[in-house]
């Protein structure tokens, strides 16, 4: 073997390949199943509500752990997004709010 050659642990490779297979199977299976289900008004409402539920389930634990400063930054980002309709600007507004809150000692 040459010096500096990279060798991967076989368990690591197996884990990565396994996760890849499971991820692909779940994604492809979801498309397959949804292609065979009738999209009723109830299913459509559920699918339309899904992105918001995912965002809340991702953000809420961060806010609860982060406290008041994180909650305020989230409010600033939300307001900027609603008013300006620009995601990057909302992120920069939240970062500015975080810097101001940190400077204020929160």
């Amino acid at each position: 073997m040459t010096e500096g050659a990279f060798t991967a642990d076989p368990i690591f490779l197996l884990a990565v390949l396994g996760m890849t297979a499971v991820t692909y199977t779940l994604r492809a299976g979801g498309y397959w199943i949804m292609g065979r289900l009738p999209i009723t008004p109830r299913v459509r409402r559920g699918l339309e509500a899904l992105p918001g539920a995912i965002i809340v389930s991702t953000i809420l634990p961060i806010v609860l752990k982060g406290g008041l400063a994180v909650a305020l930054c989230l409010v600033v980002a939300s307001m900027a997004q609603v008013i300006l309709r620009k995601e990057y600007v909302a992120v920069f507004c939240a970062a500015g709010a975080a810097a101001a809150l940190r400077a204020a000692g929160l």
Side-chain angles (χ1 to χ4, degrees), residues 78-87 89-90 93:
S78 300
M79 288 175 36
Q81 175 62 26
V82 167
I83 294 168
L84 304 172
R85 302 270 186 215
K86 303 228 182 273
E87 292 87 5
V89 175
C93 289

Side-chain angles (χ1 to χ4, degrees), residues 1-6:
M1 187 181 300
T2 61
E3 189 175 321
F6 176 74

Side-chain angles (χ1 to χ4, degrees), residues 2 4 16 20 22 33 37 39 57 62 64 70 76-77 85 87 90 94 102 104 106:
T2 61
V16 170
T20 302
V22 168
I33 290 170
L37 288 177
I39 304 296
S57 66
I62 295 169
L64 292 176
V70 173
V76 167
R85 302 270 186 215
E87 292 87 5
R102 185 171 284 197
L106 287 177

Side-chain angles (χ1 to χ4, degrees), residues 12-87:
F12 171 76
L13 289 176
L14 184 63
V16 170
L17 290 173
M19 288 186 286
T20 302
V22 168
T23 300
Y24 177 77
T25 302
L26 290 173
R27 285 182 176 250
Y31 285 116
W32 183 80
I33 290 170
M34 288 309 296
R36 280 145 183 78
L37 288 177
I39 304 296
T40 63
R42 185 175 183 174
V43 170
R44 183 173 304 283
R45 284 192 309 272
L47 291 173
E48 289 171 353
L50 197 55
I54 291 171
I55 289 172
V56 169
S57 66
T58 303
I59 299 295
L60 189 61
I62 295 169
V63 171
L64 292 176
K65 186 174 181 180
L68 179 63
V70 173
L72 290 174
C73 290
L74 181 62
V75 168
V76 167
S78 300
M79 288 175 36
Q81 175 62 26
V82 167
I83 294 168
L84 304 172
R85 302 270 186 215
K86 303 228 182 273
E87 292 87 5

